[in-house]
Structure formats: structure tokens, C-alpha cells
Amino acid sequence: MYHSLLEKQIKKLLTEQQLQDESLCQLLNVVSNTYQAFERDKKISEHAFEVSEKEYRELSEALLRAKEEADRANNAKTVFLATMSHEIRTPMNGMLGMASLLAGTMLTAEQREYTDTIITSGDALLTVINDILDFSKIESGNLELDFQTFDLRQCIEEVMDVFSMKAAQKGLDLVYQIDYQVSAQIISDRYRLRQVLLNLIGNAMKFTHQGEIFVRIDLMSVAGSEIELAFSVKDTGIGIPEDKVSKLFKPFSQVDSSTTRRYGGTGLGLAISQRLVELMGGTIDVESQPGVGTTFSFMIKGRISQESVRQYVHCNTVGNEGKTVLVIDDNATNLTILKTQLEQWKLTPTLAISAHKALEILSYHDEFDLVITDMQMPDMDGTQLAQRIKARHSRLPIILLSSIGDESKKKYPDLFNEVLNKPVKQQQLCRAIQASLRPGIVKVPVVATRPDQVLSEEFANKYPLRILIAEDNAVNQKLALRVLDKLGYHNVEIGQNGLETVQKFSSGFYDVILMDVQMPEMDGLEATRRIRAMSGRQPVIIAMTANAMQGDREECLNAGMDDYVSKPVKLEVAVNVLERWALEIQAKREEVHPDIKPR
Amino acid sequence: MKYHFMKIKQYQYMGGQWKNNFTTSGFDAKQAQLILVFGEPGLITRQASFDEIRKFFPKGNIVSCSTAGEIMDEDVYDNSIAVTAIQFEKTAIKCCATHIDQHDNSYETGKYLMRELLADGLNTVLVISDGTYVNGSELVSGLNENNPDNIPVTGGLAADGDRFNKTFVGLDQVPEEGTVIAIGFYGNDLHIGHGYFGGWDEFGPLKKITRAEKNVLYEIDGKNALDLYKEYLGPYKDELPGSALLFPLSMQEEGSNEPVVRTILSINEQDKSMVFAGNLPQGSTVRLMKANFDKLIDGSSLAAQSAFTNLAGSNPELALFISCVGRKLILQARTNEEVAAAKDIFGENIPVAGFYSYGEISPFAPLTRCELHNQTMTITTFSES
């Protein structure tokens, strides 16, 4: 008996006589077995596939459940983070704010020391909290980058400004160089780039006791509008032992515990920097030699912004081409940077590594048009050098590169044409050179002045404003009242919550409302929406909130607020914001009543 | 006429008759160095069979092995003995036999054999092992342990039809259970090629081995492995362990890039365990596999191509096919088609010998360590220059 289907074929195709043939029957046996094997295999497969289908179904259901669970947990974590951030910032605001006010009062030396310690400790604590929040956000995948067009050089220079004072105090040379091929306007996350640079340079500052910190930015590649930028921060600090290098980027780990005690910090900075760099499409690396120094290099991807085609080398050198400049600095890196810069501006630099070398050069070559000299040099400082030069070449203009707080310009008004703070910004240097080479044409004040006393009653005289504070926390109410009082605003009113704020505003006009967000009865967002819905003149509403998570700013602005300041509020920041809006309000008043002028 | 450096003579015993199947011109029976004997367990364990073979070839080393089917030329036989005698012109050989009982375990057995053969000029090793008492994976690990230069090792495990009961291997004597033989080939004039291919399809979700001891499997994904197989077999679960051969496992060890195939040898209803022809380390990822008729046959031809390719230009003078009993149980009446497909690659006049085994040994690729395979057709080609 053959397979039933085969039987049918046999009946159709073969005769009885043919079926007597033994070898034909053998073949038919093989074929029949194959039919059967095929059928059996099909049944087995069908069953097995059904079972595996069922398994797949169960698996995907389980996956879906697990994903939902993970989403819920992630969500809960985000809420927890936001709450924690808010809860910590509210009392921190009171603490740091009051301490700052305290520092502005008459204190004994002992009291001042205590107050300063409270402020530095508070600032340190805030850094820790911010680091932990950042780290948690990155770890939970909640950190999103904010890609915008910005001026790279400006961003770098702002970072340099943060450290210039400290570098001067420690006697370190802080220098930077941006390759001229690097485009001015790029699209990336400026705040995160700034954060990475602040961290790396901050570390370099911490671990370098003499020598220099050299920040360098190079263009690695361009493909269409896509670019890759290489950053490096090189110091001459204590270095990192080889076996500790691999631990550097691990969260909460520092090179060793004794270093932790000596240098402080959470040990999160590099872990955060690494992740931020990765989010920006790059990698971070470190090379170090104990006793010699450390270089952190990282790469980020970005795009060239189409918004502007402005180039850096924007220095008008017309009429100055080929002019000769003698540059004196004991720091070789700095000399190289200055040389590159001057050559880009078509000037002809001659370099001297010491004051003596410079005097030697001047003794046989007195055709220089300009001298640029560093202030702090081992053999002879910039002032002494300038005096020696002026004694012989009284008309030769001299630019001094010094540090913030340097009084040379005041002390020797005739010695220097310009005094620039290090690290020197390109635009400043350009203007200073122009001014020195063609005196009388461009005169830009370039000496940094110490900020005026932050809090002064003059402020309110300059900007008379009616101010309403919406704030439920008693300490923070008191703090805000005191700060404004010191600014000269003595009749500031308080709304205890959103509802009261709206009521107060509807019964009397205020120019500015400082609005907390989380308040009982009605929150600041709702209060803002209600006020915005009212007819008539509108106030400037500035959020002052401990909600410092990503998106909080947008939420405030979307609700109709004009600006946003996160708690703990720094006095300078608060005053700057207030001043900015005060100017705006004044401008508007003048439009409406051109005869009313502020005093 | 083409001159052959390697000379071959083949005999076949079937239906009580010996017949000469293939002879290279110039072959001299007295000079044959190696005689490979693959046969049905009952037939090759007879003293008369051994004596007859010794009569044909008075001098060389006789290596015998029981099978689940004998391969000769382009066909597959049951109840036969296939004899292939090799007379090398320049290559020297050394045979080493040992018994599993003389060593602590299969791993030590492998180490011992490799140590015995390692010497200057060692070119290739062929291993013929017991297929019941020897753990193939361990044996292969042992061989690899003492093979730092990755000298090619190929071979297979003896078989006992589809009974999985007693397997026999012998060197210059009637074969016995528990014997393992390694043959070393020495000299630079021998060229070998090797290839293996499965042709099975993976299907179903990826799973993880959560409990296993060496080659005994207990749990997959925390569930009982035997229950899982029964679920997959459905109405065919009563045919276990035979029907489990339909679903071998594709297994990838942690850290390995190449999956290997593992076949079920037996089941134990008491502790619901399954014994495989090779180890299943815990943590390995596994997927069920299913036969596909056409792919099995194509796979065999791919193995032959691969063996041909890495022979680097020279024509093979002997092809050794070691294929898995699992393939034969699937292919059944069409088993000879996989042999024919592979033989086609080598052409008309190349002698082919081989057997259906309980495990195949071959490297993944040239210059890599050897591995134990299941469910594959493994081909080794030999030629001399």
C-alpha cells in the first residue's frame, strides 16, 4: 500500500502490467515514504509553530507589561526628583539669601568669617544637589539637550571669565586658543557645553598649583553643515596615577579618598561630563602623567549655523598691515597663541620669552610699532619693563596683559595705552591694538571695573516700581522683602498665594510681580493665566521658583510669565533681571508719556 | 593517466559477501598504513570480520567504528561494513588508542591523546571515539587544551543505529565499548580541507538554559525542559526520545559568536531531564531548530564546497563524510541524496567513505580550535603532493 495520494497518481498513470516491475515498485516505495515523511513533517511543524506563536504572544504581552511598569517607575522617579529638587531649594533660598544679606551688614572679622563660610558651604551644597539632579536625569534618560545657535567664542570666553580671577589669585596662566577654522556660530547645546568646560577647567584649577591651563578648540572635520569639534583642557597640575585613570569617569569615585579630603567635590562632575559629551555625539578621553599634568580632550558633533556667516577674524586692520609688534610673555603657550592671532591680523610679531630678552631685542631693533607685555614675569614684571622701555622709546605704545584687580592702569596712567585682563578676548585685543596704533580713533574702555555694591537704595530711585511678591513661604517672603528694601523699595506687598495675588492685582496696579510657582489654593501658573486674562495694563511677571527641572522654565513662560529665575536666587542675578525689566518698563512709560522722565 | 600520491582501496561487506569497490592504480595492500572500518555494530564486533580485513591488509593500522549507517561512494547502507585502506606516499601516521576508564574523565582522555600525538610535523588529527560513555564536548575541550597551534582536528563519535545503546571502537582488534582513538598525520605533504554545515532552521523565541549539568538539561527559562519538548511535540510526544531529534537546540555559549547544535540522546522521566550529545553550559542562549528537507541536502553540499575551498587548489584524493544520525532519521529514504549532493561537488573519481555518527568534530573555520557538532554533515578531504 502506497500513500493514498500517490495511489491516485499510480491509478491514473500506470498500468497493472507496469506495476509488476520490481524496480519500479522500489522507486514507488521511496516516493511513497517521502510523501508520508512530508506529511508527518508538516503536521509536526504546524503544531510546533502554533506553540511557538503562543510563546511569542505571551512574551510580547509580558514585555508590554514590563515596559508599562518601567514607564510608571520612571515617571515616579521623575516626580520624586522634581519634588526633592523643589523641597531642597526652598529652604536653601532662605539660607543663602539671608547669608548674603548678612554679609552686606557691618560685621566683626570673626562674624564675617562665619558668614562667608555659610555662603561657600551653601554654594557647595547647591553644586552637589545640582550634580546629583543632573546625574539622575541623565541616568534615567530624562536629560534632553537644547540645541540652539550660539557664538562659540563668546561661550568659551564666558567660561574663561568665571576662572580668570581665581587663576590670577593662584598665579596660574589661563590661556585659550580657538582654531581660526572653527566657525563662529554653531548649533549645539551651549549650556551643556559650558557645563562640561566649567567642570574640566574647574578640575584643572583645583589640581594645578603652578604653571598653566591651556584650553584649545580645533575643527576636526566638516561634512556639509555637520562639524566635529575637538576640545582639550591641558594643565600642569599634580596629574593622575595610571591605575586611577580608568576610575575617573565612574560616578562618586575620586582618585583617592585623601584627594577627596584635600580637594572636595562630589566625584560626579566627570561622570556627568562624560555623559553630556556622549549626548552631544562625542567621546571624552584623558591623558595624564603624575607630576607633569593632565589633558582632558573631548569631541562633540554640531552643525554650522545658517543664521549667521560672521567670522571671528573681524578685526579691522586696514592701515595696520605689516606693523611690527614686540610680544613679551614668560609663558610659551601664550606667546604662540598671540603670535598666531597677530599674524591672522596681518601684523608682524616678534616674540620674547622674558623682559630681559625684550630689552635686548629693543637695543638693536627699535622700529617696533607696538609692545604687548605680560604683567607677571619672573625676571622683571610688566610695569618695570614698561618703565625701562618708555625711558628710551617714550612714544612706543604698550599694552599690558594682566589680571582682574590689577591697578596698573590707575597707578601708571601714562605707562600703558591699554590694560587687558587675562585670558584676553580676541575682540578686546583687536580693539586695544587698533586704539594703540591709531590713538584717538577707537577708544574702548577695557579695564574691568569691580561691580558696584549689588544692593543700593539708588536702584529704586533710578527705577521706581510698584512690586508685588507672590510667595507662601514665610522665610522667603522675608528675604524678598529685605532684598527689595535694600534696593530702596519700601512698600512692596505680599500675596500669600496665587488667589490672593490675583485679588491684589485686580484692586491695584503693580509694575512687577515676583511669582512663586508652587503655592497653596492657587499656584503661580494659574494666577499668571488669570492676570493675563484681565483687561487693562499688564504687569511684568517674573517666576522665582524652586522648580528648577527641565521644562519648568518653558511651563512658566507658556503660562504667560515674562522671565524665570530659579531658587536659590543669587542676589546679582535677581538684581540684573529686575534691572532689565525695569528698563523695559521705563521705555514703555516714555512711549506713553514722553514728558515723564526718571530722576 | 593521473599520478596519485595517495592510493586508496575500498571493500564493502554486504549480504554475506565482500566486494572490492574502488582501487587506485598502483595500490599495494602490504603498504597500506591506515585502514578505516565503518560498520553495523553487530557485524564489526565479530572476530571473523576483523580477521578477514586483516587478511586483505596484513600490515597497516585497522581503526574500526560502529555506525548508524555506512557511507560509501555516493550511497548510504545499513547492515554493512565499509573498509577504506590508505597508502600514503610521503605522510607518516601514528595511531593512539585509549580507554575512557584509564582516565578521570573525557576531558583528560582528550588531553592524553593530543599529548601522545604532539610532535614536530603533526599536520592533522582524526579522532574516532566511543559515542556512549565519552562526553564529546569534554573530549574536544581536552584535545583543544593540548593543541595550542590549532592543528586541525576532525572526526566523529561512533554510533549504534538509532538505538543509542552500545557503541564500539577498536584499534587493530575487534572493537569494544569505551575506546577512543586519535590518528596523527605527519609531514608537510598532506593537505586537508574541512567543512561542516547543518541546514536546520531556528524558530521560536530565544531562551536561556537555567539549569543543566554538563550534557544533562533540566530547565530552560526556569521551566522544565522535558515539559517544554512535550508541548512542542504535541501528539508526537509518545515517540520520545526519537521524536525529540526533530527539534535539536541551537546553542550559543556566553561570549561565543558561533552557535553550535545539540541533539537529544535520551530522556529521563523520573527527574524530567534530557541527555544531549554535548554539554549545555548554564546561561547559554538556545533556540529550537527544525529540519527542512531541502536545506539539509543543500547543507551537505555546502559542507563539501567549504572542504573543497580550503583545500587551496589541490584536488582531494579521499573525502571522509561524517554525518549525524539525526539527519538520517529525518531524511530516511532520501538520506542518500545528501551524500550524493556532497559527492557531486568532488566529482566522479574521488573515493568517498564515512558514517552516520553520534557527534561530529570539526573546526568552525581553518586555524580555529575544533568543536563538537551535532546534526551536521562534516567533511574532511585528504590529498598529498
Side-chain angles (χ1 to χ4, degrees):
Chain A
M1 269 305 277
Y2 301 117
H3 188 277
S4 57
L5 289 175
L6 184 62
E7 286 281 1
K8 285 186 184 144
Q9 299 285 4
I10 291 170
K11 277 211 182 100
K12 208 166 101 186
L13 298 169
L14 299 176
T15 62
E16 277 301 321
Q17 201 185 350
Q18 284 169 315
L19 285 171
Q20 302 299 318
D21 183 341
E22 200 179 320
S23 52
L24 180 66
C25 288
Q26 263 176 1
L27 172 68
L28 288 175
N29 253 325
V30 170
V31 175
S32 177
N33 283 342
T34 306
Y35 265 78
Q36 265 153 14
F38 181 79
E39 200 161 86
R40 179 183 146 95
D41 182 66
K42 201 171 138 228
K43 274 186 195 156
I44 291 170
S45 300
E46 274 169 4
H47 177 77
F49 289 154
E50 250 171 53
V51 176
S52 83
E53 265 310 302
K54 195 186 98 210
E55 283 193 334
Y56 273 126
R57 223 169 24 243
E58 287 167 0
L59 208 60
S60 70
E61 280 163 15
L63 276 177
L64 203 65
R65 274 196 303 277
K67 187 190 172 290
E68 283 166 1
E69 199 121 305
D71 283 348
R72 265 198 301 279
N74 196 24
N75 214 18
K77 192 174 167 188
T78 309
V79 171
F80 171 77
L81 273 179
T83 313
M84 190 183 82
S85 166
H86 182 265
E87 292 305 314
I88 293 172
R89 276 164 202 279
T90 303
M92 285 281 291
N93 190 47
M95 197 184 100
L96 277 175
M98 288 300 185
S100 298
L101 287 179
L102 188 60
T105 61
M106 294 298 288
L107 297 172
T108 66
E110 193 183 3
Q111 287 166 340
R112 178 153 315 279
E113 193 192 330
Y114 297 160
T115 314
D116 287 348
T117 309
I118 294 174
I119 294 172
T120 18
S121 305
D123 281 341
L125 178 58
L126 196 61
T127 313
V128 173
I129 293 165
N130 286 337
D131 274 0
I132 291 174
L133 282 174
D134 263 347
F135 187 71
S136 318
K137 273 189 276 181
I138 293 170
E139 288 296 279
S140 62
N142 281 333
L143 189 109
E144 283 164 29
L145 294 188
D146 181 19
F147 290 104
Q148 280 180 9
T149 297
F150 67 94
D151 187 312
L152 183 63
R153 181 172 287 272
Q154 196 189 341
C155 170
I156 305 293
E157 286 174 352
E158 279 170 14
V159 174
M160 292 294 151
D161 283 346
V162 173
F163 294 105
S164 56
M165 176 85 89
K166 192 149 187 218
Q169 281 165 2
K170 286 187 83 171
L172 299 175
D173 280 309
L174 177 61
V175 294
Y176 71 98
Q177 183 177 32
I178 302 175
D179 184 52
Y180 73 95
Q181 289 179 308
V182 175
S183 33
Q185 308 284 111
I186 66 161
I187 300 173
S188 187
D189 187 326
R190 110 173 258 175
Y191 294 100
R192 295 304 177 179
L193 175 61
R194 185 184 146 94
Q195 190 177 353
V196 174
L197 286 169
L198 283 174
N199 176 250
L200 296 182
I201 300 171
N203 279 345
M205 294 285 300
K206 220 175 351 174
F207 296 109
T208 305
H209 305 301
Q210 57 183 26
E212 62 170 27
I213 293 158
F214 178 27
V215 181
R216 204 189 146 116
I217 297 100
D218 286 298
L219 182 66
M220 273 175 77
S221 72
V222 189
S225 66
E226 310 278 322
I227 50 168
E228 285 181 329
L229 295 175
F231 294 74
S232 70
V233 177
K234 182 172 178 229
D235 67 41
T236 54
I238 59 171
I240 305 155
E242 202 184 330
D243 56 325
K244 300 286 164 52
V245 168
S246 60
K247 282 169 69 182
L248 274 181
F249 296 103
K250 287 202 180 124
F252 300 107
S253 73
Q254 288 197 329
V255 170
D256 65 34
S257 48
S258 63
T259 317
T260 311
R261 279 197 294 278
R262 187 165 164 207
Y263 297 100
T266 54
L268 274 176
L270 283 176
I272 293 170
S273 293
Q274 183 185 38
R275 283 159 176 80
L276 289 176
V277 166
E278 282 165 6
L279 283 171
M280 289 189 277
T283 51
I284 187 162
D285 269 313
V286 61
E287 263 177 59
S288 185
Q289 211 178 328
V292 176
T294 305
T295 306
F296 279 93
S297 337
F298 68 93
M299 185 270 284
I300 62 164
K301 288 184 178 154
R303 276 183 297 131
I304 299 172
S305 169
Q306 304 300 328
E307 283 175 32
S308 163
V309 288
R310 188 167 77 84
Q311 289 296 311
Y312 280 133
V313 191
H314 208 61
C315 194
N316 182 9
T317 50
V318 178
N320 291 334
E321 294 96 337
K323 291 216 170 158
T324 52
V325 185
L326 179 60
V327 186
I328 308 108
D329 197 325
D330 60 314
N331 182 298
T333 313
N334 223 354
L335 271 185
T336 316
I337 296 172
L338 284 167
K339 176 174 182 277
T340 315
Q341 188 62 79
L342 295 173
E343 282 171 353
Q344 274 172 32
W345 292 334
K346 303 205 164 48
L347 300 165
T348 311
T350 301
L351 307 180
I353 195 80
S354 69
H356 284 111
K357 189 85 198 161
L359 291 172
E360 192 190 318
I361 294 170
L362 277 168
S363 68
Y364 57 78
H365 177 67
D366 59 357
E367 298 290 288
F368 286 104
D369 298 301
L370 175 66
V371 172
I372 299 175
T373 179
D374 187 28
M375 176 65 192
Q376 286 85 12
M377 289 182 291
D379 58 338
M380 184 189 295
D381 73 22
T383 322
Q384 293 166 322
L385 175 65
Q387 283 164 338
R388 296 271 295 267
I389 293 173
K390 284 282 181 182
R392 283 191 175 201
H393 314 271
S394 60
R395 299 180 59 111
L396 182 55
I398 304 177
I399 297 174
L400 179 69
L401 308 182
S402 188
S403 311
I404 291 183
D406 190 275
E407 302 281 304
S408 307
K409 180 79 181 168
K410 247 186 232 168
K411 265 162 90 181
Y412 310 102
D414 300 326
L415 204 50
F416 300 110
N417 293 52
E418 304 284 341
V419 177
L420 300 181
N421 290 322
K422 289 206 296 186
V424 180
K425 294 176 188 168
Q426 202 181 27
Q427 292 292 334
Q428 283 180 347
L429 181 64
C430 175
R431 279 196 297 262
I433 291 172
Q434 284 175 322
S436 303
L437 288 174
R438 289 195 280 171
I441 297 177
V442 190
K443 193 72 189 169
V444 184
V446 286
V447 179
T449 51
R450 281 184 174 282
D452 297 329
Q453 182 72 28
V454 175
L455 304 178
S456 146
E457 298 226 357
E458 275 303 299
F459 195 93
N461 289 334
K462 227 159 124 192
Y463 312 110
L465 297 169
R466 279 175 58 82
I467 300 174
L468 176 62
I469 298 168
E471 168 70 66
D472 61 316
N473 180 292
V475 175
N476 287 333
Q477 284 176 2
K478 203 184 281 176
L479 175 65
L481 284 176
R482 288 287 161 79
V483 170
L484 291 172
D485 189 63
K486 295 218 164 207
L487 287 173
Y489 300 103
H490 307 299
N491 299 313
V492 175
E493 291 189 44
I494 300 260
Q496 297 288 344
N497 55 49
L499 196 62
E500 206 180 298
T501 305
V502 174
Q503 284 161 357
K504 276 195 178 280
F505 182 77
S506 52
S507 56
F509 180 76
Y510 298 89
D511 298 296
V512 174
I513 301 176
L514 301 177
M515 184 79 83
D516 189 18
V517 172
Q518 283 197 16
M519 289 183 289
E521 307 240 2
M522 183 191 291
D523 66 23
L525 299 172
E526 179 58 25
T528 304
R529 281 189 280 268
R530 298 238 180 142
I531 291 169
R532 290 299 183 223
M534 294 177 187
S535 53
R537 275 170 74 194
Q538 283 287 333
V540 168
I541 303 179
I542 301 168
M544 285 206 176
T545 168
N547 292 7
M549 303 290 281
Q550 193 163 20
D552 286 333
R553 184 191 180 89
E554 285 65 35
E555 206 173 5
C556 290
L557 298 183
N558 286 341
M561 297 197 206
D562 296 292
D563 210 335
Y564 169 98
V565 178
S566 78
K567 283 180 189 166
V569 177
K570 292 240 177 215
L571 286 187
E572 304 89 83
V573 175
V575 172
N576 282 342
V577 169
L578 198 59
E579 185 168 23
R580 189 160 74 232
W581 288 104
L583 284 167
E584 194 111 331
I585 291 164
Q586 268 183 1
K588 269 197 193 137
R589 279 188 197 147
E590 282 166 33
E591 274 170 34
V592 186
H593 309 285
D595 51 326
I596 301 175
K597 292 264 163 148
R599 279 179 288 168
Chain B
M1 199 164 140
K2 185 179 181 293
Y3 180 75
H4 293 275
F5 292 96
M6 246 177 91
K7 297 177 184 69
I8 308 290
K9 190 170 186 100
Q10 290 185 306
Y11 282 101
Q12 193 176 21
Y13 178 83
M14 218 169 35
Q17 301 281 319
W18 283 100
K19 75 174 197 251
N20 172 208
N21 271 27
F22 181 93
T23 312
T24 317
S25 63
F27 179 89
D28 176 0
K30 289 194 195 72
Q31 288 186 44
Q33 292 145 286
L34 179 64
I35 300 98
L36 297 171
V37 179
F38 305 130
E40 196 274 326
L43 289 177
I44 58 158
T45 46
R46 288 184 196 160
Q47 184 67 44
S49 306
F50 179 77
D51 294 344
E52 192 68 26
I53 295 164
R54 186 43 98 195
K55 245 191 258 169
F56 292 140
F57 307 106
K59 278 195 170 148
N61 290 121
I62 298 174
V63 174
S64 316
C65 163
S66 64
T67 77
E70 298 80 52
I71 296 170
M72 178 136 279
D73 194 26
E74 57 173 20
D75 220 333
V76 180
Y77 303 89
D78 293 305
N79 300 314
S80 82
I81 302 177
V83 179
T84 303
I86 309 164
Q87 175 192 341
F88 292 106
E89 181 147 322
K90 296 167 177 169
T91 304
I93 67 156
K94 176 182 174 185
C95 292
C96 179
T98 190
H99 196 276
I100 180 83
D101 287 349
Q102 290 171 342
H103 306 274
D104 285 348
N105 50 44
S106 302
Y107 175 75
E108 291 299 331
T109 311
K111 271 173 76 175
Y112 164 79
L113 286 169
M114 202 65 192
R115 196 165 54 235
E116 287 294 303
L117 295 184
L118 264 188
D120 280 354
L122 180 61
N123 178 312
T124 301
V125 174
L126 178 67
V127 176
I128 300 291
S129 166
D130 169 274
T132 322
Y133 296 106
V134 171
N135 178 322
S137 305
E138 307 272 308
L139 177 71
V140 160
S141 304
L143 291 164
N144 284 329
E145 179 66 35
N146 275 346
N147 184 12
D149 298 333
N150 288 332
I151 289 162
V153 177
T154 66
L157 307 187
D160 177 22
D162 56 3
R163 295 172 294 275
F164 297 93
N165 193 8
K166 288 179 169 181
T167 60
F168 305 93
V169 170
L171 172 64
D172 297 329
Q173 63 168 63
V174 172
E176 290 172 349
E177 287 184 80
T179 304
V180 187
I181 299 173
I183 306 147
F185 299 83
Y186 298 83
N188 294 329
D189 300 305
L190 180 69
H191 303 287
I192 72 129
H194 49 80
Y196 77 96
F197 205 87
W200 295 69
D201 292 329
E202 292 182 19
F203 75 104
L206 273 175
K207 295 166 191 290
K208 207 160 220 161
I209 295 181
T210 44
R211 194 177 149 227
E213 280 162 31
K214 294 204 168 169
N215 62 338
V216 183
L217 175 67
Y218 294 96
E219 283 178 10
I220 294 179
D221 278 350
K223 287 182 208 142
N224 185 272
L226 187 57
D227 286 345
L228 178 81
Y229 262 89
K230 285 183 176 171
E231 193 184 352
Y232 265 91
L233 284 166
Y236 297 90
K237 65 171 182 265
D238 300 335
E239 295 175 32
L240 276 166
S243 57
L245 280 171
L246 300 168
F247 302 122
L249 286 178
S250 165
M251 177 189 83
Q252 200 157 343
E253 276 188 62
E254 278 177 298
S256 155
N257 299 322
E258 288 270 1
V260 290
V261 183
R262 290 287 175 257
T263 307
I264 294 90
L265 293 185
S266 61
I267 60 165
N268 183 337
E269 284 285 0
Q270 260 88 55
D271 62 1
K272 293 203 163 184
S273 66
M274 308 178 78
V275 180
F276 282 74
N279 285 2
L280 302 125
Q282 276 182 200
S284 303
T285 321
V286 289
R287 251 184 118 186
L288 288 174
M289 301 182 96
K290 222 195 78 46
N292 173 320
F293 268 83
D294 296 333
K295 280 198 180 169
L296 286 186
I297 290 165
D298 289 348
S300 155
S301 148
L302 285 168
Q305 265 163 18
S306 161
F308 208 3
T309 311
N310 61 47
L311 203 54
S314 53
N315 271 328
E317 291 174 305
L318 172 68
L320 183 64
F321 291 9
I322 300 179
S323 186
C324 182
V325 61
R327 300 169 75 87
K328 188 161 175 261
L329 292 179
I330 302 278
L331 291 168
Q332 298 205 5
R334 292 176 67 187
T335 307
N336 58 344
E337 290 181 26
E338 82 157 5
V339 174
K343 156 110 190 172
D344 272 353
I345 301 294
F346 298 111
E348 277 289 308
N349 297 315
I350 309 302
V352 169
F355 65 99
Y356 279 83
S357 78
Y358 283 179
E360 306 81 60
I361 298 170
S362 161
F364 279 133
L367 302 176
T368 62
R369 41 185 243 145
C370 69
E371 303 284 343
L372 177 78
H373 304 283
N374 286 160
Q375 304 289 4
T376 61
M377 166 65 99
T378 300
I379 296 176
T380 311
T381 57
F382 298 83
S383 69
E384 256 191 324
S385 62

